[in-house]
Amino acid sequence: MTPNSGVRRLLATAGALSIALLPHLIHLPAWVTAAFVATVAWRIAAEQRAWAMPSRPWRLVGAFAAVLGVLLQFHTLNGLDAGTALLTLMAALKLAETRAPRDHAVLVFVGYLLCLATLLYGESPPRLAFVLLAVWLLTAALARVHRPVGADAPVRPFRLAARVLVLGLPLAVILFLFVPRLEGRFWAIPARGGAVTGIGDDMAPGDVANLALSDEPVLRAWFDGPPPPLASRYWRVQVFENFDGRAWHRATTRADGAPPPIAPAGTSYRYRIALEPTHRPWLAGLDTVSDWPASSVERLRSGALVRIGAGQAPSPVEARLEYELRSSPRAQVMPDLLPDDLRRRDLELPAAAAPRARALAARLRDGRDERAFAAAVLARFHDEPYEYTLQPPPLGADPTDEFLFTTRQGFCEHYAAAFAVLMRAGGVPARVVVGYQGGEWNDVGDYLLVAQASAHAWNEIWIAGEGWVRVDPTSAVAPERVHRDGRGLAFAGGGVGRALASAAWVVRARQAWDAARTAWSSGVVGFDAAAQDRLLERIGLGGAGIRGLAIALTAGFVLAALGLGAWLALELRPRREDPLVRAWREFCAALAARGLPAGVAEGPLDYVRRVARAQPALGPAVTAFGEAYVQARYLPGAVRADVARVVVLSRAVRARIRAAR
Amino acid sequence: MSTAADARRQLEPALAALNGVVLGKDREIRLALACVLARGHLLIEDLPGVGKTTLAQALAKVLGLSYQRVQFTSDLLPADVIGVSVFDRERGGFEFRRGPVFAQLLLADEVNRATPKAQSALLEAMEERQVTVDGVTHPLPDPFFVVATQNPSYQIGTYPLPESQLDRFLMRIELGYPDPAHERELLRGRDRRSLLATIAPALPPESLRTLQATVPTLHVAEPLLDYVQALVRHSRESGHFEAGLSPRAAIALLRGSQAWALLHGRSGVLPEDVQAVARAIVGHRLQLRSAVDGDSAADLEGLLLQAVPVP
């Protein structure tokens, strides 16, 4: 091997490997990347200058150093980040001892593993596209390594790799569709920590401000029938009932965990929700969830899923989760009776908290009933100079009083918290509900998209005979905050950005993109056991379970093999035979059967003359055929008629030959 | 088609006349004529006395070409072939005296007896169809046809032509001894020399030029090109030969086949035409890898022509 071709071979492999590594750069420690790059550079220089490779002890030292480094960095060798870092370092070490094609092959397989890891970090279409590109390059490097030395046609390995990948595609699709799905996270990769935004388990005023600036999607909902009107789009996530004077906390669930009595009323909506991985143990549902289909419960595999909105998912939602629900926005919750223990909890205020608010509440209650009292409080929010802003001044030890009487600037959380305190002080059971309000209708995909920017907090007060009634104090201050279906940013910002964000085509493009992403994540990423069952149902193997999958898988493989065989047969089929050639071949075969085979290199006229000499009886017919054949095949001016004449003559002459004895 | 039949009719008398002089060598005569038609040059390799010179002279007579003969010897100088500039005292300058090469048919007898220097002077003239002396280019007549004869190279006092020079000859043929019947006729008949004097031109030079122009335009079907290419490929890939046939050799094979087909009144080339001329055209261009020495034509037949199927 010339040194040059060795370098080129190394460049191909190391290059493909580096491209496979690219998506990992953002989470790999810098020293790992540096070590990899340095090794690649050193190895190529070593190949060019024929430096010695490190000896075995040195390689061992390198391996130990790599493991130690990863341990020091991550405190574990397990997990995606640590695993990827270790894999990268091992690839670098392998590079340091790469000589034979076998070593290149190992490197390429490390590259494939890195591609797999890339998909564990995320499953978006661009990511998949990049991984496919990397796999293509890796396969090309593999093909290149296995080409004979000196056969340097630089394009061929790429073509070969592309062809192999395309041919493998049907098998990949079959495996994707019919390999049994494991529920949940197959890879058992521990969830990655880190800053996670979203609604938490408690609420202190000011928490949601960062959410309002994030247009990350939270959930998408598909409705059977028309979606609910704007004013009803309240998505419950958490209910906060315990107030410590400063922050609101989730109430400890009642021991029995039984769903509260609900009296359905008004329109009900049946819909399917796809919840993005929120890394939080809650689910979301349209207020008020009245029913959850058995399939949905089974889907969640959770007996704990009983109270959506006030309830929890069994564990943090780490992967996209789909479930079905039914909601009746006008349903009455616990209309007749609020048990004493609950009433006590929902009236409780810490003794020292908010003295001025208590006084205000007492003044406003003043013998009014619950509704009138609530209306009075809302009227105060509306009439007094309260301001809705996402950048309120910070609040001190007693946030309620400070907000109500000093700063008077805040957003939904401030108003909801203050409203709940005022209600409780006035003797009305009240609680804070946190969730999302609104949602953008996507025309392209026919679904409702709720983003983090729609995070919202509101209240519920209990009124005898009506149950828990929703009150949204923010709407008293900033009605436009509630009555919009666009994005939070469009509201919070303004000017050019707002104009641009609301231009029709921008909205359309954004919605199309989101719909495509959604179709991808529910159709491909979200293709789970249930979707598999539905698919089996559709191809007539429903209910057969794992056996159905086995049948489908086998049939798929057989079909793929047949398809491949057909393609190969088509590719390798003999070119359609020229009728002249065929006539001549059959003529020769007929004579050969009479013991007069043509010589391998015998010209047609020579052959015909020889036959005429050997079998004078056949002479005229054979000569006529031979001359017609030569005329049509070798001489100028032959037309289709000549060819046809040869074919006809060939039949006649063969009949004569067969007849002759 | 009519032109091809016409050509045959024109050539028929010439063939008859030639056959009347050189007895029993119909095939060789046809090859020589085909060589003229294809505007190639002919190398006749054989022992002295088998009629090489007679054939050349007969060709010149029959075709009505001006004829010159140069006996190549070891002291032959290029100027003896090409011509020489001599000082003209009256005009006070040099004047070019044309050498024998300025004939339409030049017989270079025993070409391998001359030194390579004299050989190459002739061979360059053959290739260029012109000679340049003292910076002045003199075109050679048209048609211009060289018949070179050569003794088998194992005879003493020869300078074998190098392969690159052999390539300049379109065909190489051997005459061989006549068969007994024709030899008897030869012994009984008139002296060939005197017979030659009686031959009248059978083909006007104008017709010869037209026929020469027709040869490259003769129809060649795709399968025939396949066949020529298969032969060439086999010579390169079979491993039986020192070096495969060059593209120039492939063109020569095709031109020779076209001339052969025209000679036989065909309007298109058949595989038989290729086979008929293949030995004459390819024989001196290929060297058997395992050849011990001497004649390898029989092997060539088996290793090339018999090995490549006719498409």
Side-chain angles (χ1 to χ4, degrees):
Chain A
M1 190 191 300
T2 64
N4 207 4
S5 77
V7 170
R8 260 179 283 167
R9 189 172 270 195
L10 264 180
L11 277 176
T13 310
L17 195 60
S18 306
I19 284 170
L21 194 62
L22 269 183
H24 296 288
L25 289 189
I26 44 167
H27 50 76
L28 275 182
W31 65 268
V32 173
T33 312
F36 181 82
V37 171
T39 318
V40 169
W42 170 82
R43 183 64 187 82
I44 288 169
E47 184 72 26
Q48 269 168 341
R49 320 235 160 113
W51 291 342
M53 298 275 133
S55 60
R56 180 184 290 262
W58 277 115
R59 298 201 302 262
L60 275 177
V61 167
F64 279 122
V67 171
L68 200 66
V70 171
L71 267 179
L72 283 176
Q73 177 90 37
F74 297 98
H75 308 294
T76 173
L77 293 179
N78 202 0
L80 205 44
D81 287 333
T84 310
L86 194 61
L87 200 58
T88 308
L89 288 172
M90 288 305 158
L93 283 170
K94 183 72 202 169
L95 202 60
E97 62 165 13
T98 289
R99 274 191 210 95
R102 203 172 54 89
D103 302 323
H104 283 272
V106 170
L107 278 175
V108 166
F109 281 98
V110 169
Y112 289 147
L113 277 179
L114 283 172
C115 287
L116 260 179
T118 303
L119 289 179
L120 291 181
Y121 277 102
E123 296 163 314
S124 66
R127 197 173 269 264
L128 178 73
F130 188 88
V131 162
L132 283 180
L133 172 77
V135 166
W136 175 51
L137 293 176
L138 283 165
T139 312
L142 193 62
R144 189 190 178 85
V145 163
H146 286 104
R147 279 173 67 70
V149 171
D152 268 336
V155 190
R156 280 209 42 183
F158 294 100
R159 274 222 306 263
L160 180 68
R163 197 175 202 188
V164 165
L165 291 186
V166 169
L167 285 178
L169 201 61
L171 285 184
V173 169
I174 290 163
L175 289 171
F176 173 80
L177 290 179
F178 298 121
V179 164
R181 298 273 152 171
L182 298 180
E183 209 45 45
R185 296 283 276 183
F186 175 64
W187 302 103
I189 300 288
R192 284 165 292 124
V196 178
T197 56
I199 292 171
D201 279 351
D202 40 33
M203 182 194 89
D207 278 356
V208 185
N210 56 343
L211 289 185
L213 296 170
S214 157
D215 57 356
E216 226 176 275
V218 178
L219 62 87
R220 294 177 182 82
W222 289 261
F223 289 88
D224 296 354
L230 208 50
S232 298
R233 292 179 193 167
Y234 280 84
W235 305 87
R236 286 166 75 98
V237 170
Q238 298 271 36
V239 178
F240 297 137
E241 289 175 283
N242 290 349
F243 180 54
D244 64 5
R246 183 176 159 71
W248 287 81
H249 304 278
R250 214 178 66 217
T252 43
T253 352
R254 288 178 72 184
D256 58 2
I262 292 175
T267 338
S268 76
Y269 298 92
R270 199 189 149 104
Y271 53 100
R272 177 166 60 89
I273 282 187
L275 188 65
E276 292 296 310
T278 54
H279 311 292
R280 301 278 187 186
W282 48 253
L283 303 170
L286 193 67
D287 199 17
T288 300
V289 175
S290 55
D291 193 15
W292 33 91
S295 66
S296 194
V297 177
E298 189 199 351
R299 175 76 193 77
L300 292 164
R301 295 198 187 289
S302 160
L305 174 71
V306 283
R307 297 170 65 199
I308 287 186
Q312 301 156 274
S315 56
V317 178
E318 297 295 354
R320 206 179 121 99
L321 183 65
E322 290 195 17
Y323 51 92
E324 281 179 30
L325 293 175
R326 186 189 291 278
S327 291
S328 319
R330 296 183 168 281
Q332 294 184 327
V333 183
M334 307 175 94
D336 303 321
L337 178 74
L338 187 63
D340 279 344
D341 56 335
L342 297 187
R343 167 179 283 271
R344 222 176 300 122
R345 186 182 68 192
D346 290 329
L347 281 171
E348 190 180 335
L349 283 176
R356 293 182 68 187
R358 284 170 202 259
L360 175 66
R363 201 167 67 242
L364 288 174
R365 178 78 199 242
D366 193 22
R368 291 185 172 96
D369 66 358
E370 290 97 336
R371 275 196 176 275
F373 173 45
V377 172
L378 292 181
R380 181 183 156 86
F381 283 151
H382 187 258
D383 298 338
E384 303 266 323
Y386 283 98
E387 197 190 327
Y388 182 92
T389 172
L390 286 173
Q391 284 95 35
L395 299 173
D398 192 340
T400 316
D401 275 5
E402 275 178 54
F403 166 69
L404 276 176
F405 301 104
T406 312
T407 67
R408 302 193 180 203
Q409 291 181 351
F411 50 93
C412 56
E413 289 185 342
H414 300 81
Y415 292 100
F419 183 80
V421 171
L422 286 171
M423 284 294 117
R424 286 187 178 190
V428 179
R431 59 193 190 185
V432 176
V433 182
V434 174
Y436 297 90
Q437 194 276 319
E440 179 185 4
W441 182 252
N442 188 315
D443 275 333
V444 185
D446 281 340
Y447 58 84
L448 203 60
L449 168 69
V450 179
Q452 291 286 13
S454 301
H456 193 47
W458 64 92
N459 299 100
E460 284 175 343
I461 56 175
W462 192 84
I463 300 171
E466 295 181 53
W468 287 105
V469 174
R470 182 173 65 228
V471 181
D472 189 349
T474 311
S475 68
V477 184
E480 66 277 21
R481 165 66 184 85
V482 176
H483 298 289
R484 69 189 164 89
D485 67 348
R487 308 182 323 147
L489 282 176
F491 178 76
V496 181
R498 179 177 185 173
L500 188 66
S502 56
W505 66 270
V506 176
V507 171
R508 183 88 191 158
R510 193 164 42 74
Q511 288 190 347
W513 168 238
D514 191 71
R517 229 169 30 160
T518 304
W520 168 260
S521 49
S522 69
V524 179
V525 178
F527 186 82
D528 53 15
Q532 208 167 37
D533 282 346
R534 284 198 293 276
L535 178 67
L536 284 181
E537 199 95 40
R538 216 174 312 155
I539 61 174
L541 287 169
I546 197 91
R547 231 174 30 143
L549 283 180
I551 293 170
L553 207 53
T554 314
F557 275 137
V558 169
L559 272 181
L562 283 178
L564 199 65
W567 178 79
L568 273 177
L570 206 69
E571 188 84 335
L572 303 175
R573 79 185 186 286
R575 300 267 176 277
R576 232 190 93 235
E577 204 175 16
D578 188 330
L580 280 177
V581 175
R582 184 168 166 201
W584 180 254
R585 188 171 50 75
E586 288 170 348
F587 168 74
C588 292
L591 281 173
R594 285 273 160 276
L596 279 170
V600 177
E602 197 167 18
L605 279 188
D606 287 348
Y607 181 43
V608 165
R609 274 184 214 124
R610 182 162 64 86
V611 171
R613 270 198 308 276
Q615 296 262 338
L618 288 175
V622 163
T623 308
F625 170 73
E627 275 167 4
Y629 167 72
V630 163
Q631 167 76 40
R633 190 152 156 82
Y634 290 106
L635 297 188
V639 290
R640 292 177 76 93
D642 294 321
V643 176
R645 193 168 141 257
V646 169
V647 173
V648 171
L649 276 176
S650 118
R651 278 195 212 111
V653 78
R654 272 184 287 141
R656 290 286 300 275
I657 292 168
R658 273 195 295 273
R661 260 290 144 202
Chain B
M1 210 177 292
S2 60
T3 55
D6 206 33
R8 184 173 183 177
R9 203 162 0 94
Q10 288 179 1
L11 288 164
E12 212 56 69
L15 276 172
L18 285 169
N19 274 314
V21 180
V22 185
L23 298 174
K25 294 292 166 199
D26 181 53
R27 187 183 160 72
E28 285 73 14
I29 287 168
R30 281 173 190 269
L31 280 173
L33 209 48
C35 193
V36 178
L37 292 177
R39 293 170 143 271
H41 303 287
L42 181 67
L43 179 65
I44 306 177
E45 187 176 82
D46 221 320
L47 299 165
V50 291
K52 299 184 296 242
T53 312
T54 315
L55 175 60
Q57 281 180 322
L59 266 175
K61 284 274 183 189
V62 165
L63 299 178
L65 304 176
S66 64
Y67 171 77
Q68 286 282 348
R69 175 189 168 149
V70 181
Q71 179 66 47
F72 276 47
T73 54
S74 56
D75 56 356
L76 188 82
L77 295 176
D80 296 333
V81 178
I82 287 166
V84 65
S85 291
V86 292
F87 189 73
D88 186 340
R89 207 171 283 250
E90 285 177 20
R91 283 181 41 214
F94 281 95
E95 190 192 351
F96 180 62
R97 291 262 172 85
R98 298 177 161 212
V101 78
F102 285 89
Q104 286 176 312
L105 193 153
L106 174 69
L107 174 63
D109 224 352
E110 301 191 277
V111 73
N112 59 343
R113 285 206 186 282
T115 54
K117 195 173 180 180
Q119 286 174 356
S120 66
L122 171 71
L123 294 161
E124 275 172 39
M126 280 162 54
E127 182 71 15
E128 311 284 332
R129 293 178 184 271
Q130 63 183 28
V131 289
T132 302
V133 177
D134 297 338
V136 184
T137 301
H138 307 272
L140 294 177
D142 181 45
F144 174 63
F145 181 51
V146 174
V147 178
T149 71
Q150 124 172 316
N151 297 326
S153 52
Y154 54 79
Q155 292 205 328
I156 46 172
T158 56
Y159 298 90
L161 290 173
E163 280 156 47
S164 61
Q165 307 279 41
L166 280 175
D167 201 31
R168 305 273 164 92
F169 291 97
L170 178 69
M171 291 187 192
R172 184 190 67 176
I173 60 174
E174 289 143 30
L175 286 176
Y177 300 119
D179 57 72
H182 285 112
E183 194 155 32
R184 173 66 67 98
E185 202 180 326
L186 195 66
L187 294 173
R188 189 170 281 158
R190 281 172 64 185
D191 173 41
R192 296 293 118 185
R193 305 273 156 163
S194 54
L195 200 59
L196 273 175
T198 66
I199 294 179
L203 186 73
E206 215 29 68
S207 303
L208 178 62
R209 268 195 284 275
T210 314
L211 289 172
Q212 282 181 332
T214 312
V215 166
T217 65
L218 205 72
H219 179 75
V220 176
E222 288 297 317
L224 193 101
L225 286 178
D226 290 343
Y227 184 48
V228 170
Q229 281 193 296
L231 286 171
V232 170
R233 202 179 320 119
H234 183 77
S235 77
R236 292 170 190 166
E237 292 172 1
S238 66
H240 294 312
F241 308 102
E242 288 293 348
L245 290 171
S246 66
R248 179 156 61 181
I251 294 171
L253 185 57
L254 191 64
R255 287 285 174 274
S257 309
Q258 285 174 311
W260 187 264
L262 185 71
L263 194 59
H264 291 80
R266 274 195 279 277
S267 52
V269 185
L270 301 189
E272 282 90 339
D273 298 324
V274 179
Q275 292 173 349
V277 297
R279 206 169 129 180
I281 291 175
V282 167
H284 58 295
R285 290 178 161 99
L286 280 181
Q287 232 182 339
L288 273 178
R289 191 162 274 179
S290 58
V292 187
D293 67 343
D295 187 64
S296 59
D299 292 333
L300 178 83
E301 196 85 17
L303 292 176
L304 188 62
L305 290 181
Q306 293 300 324
V308 179
V310 173

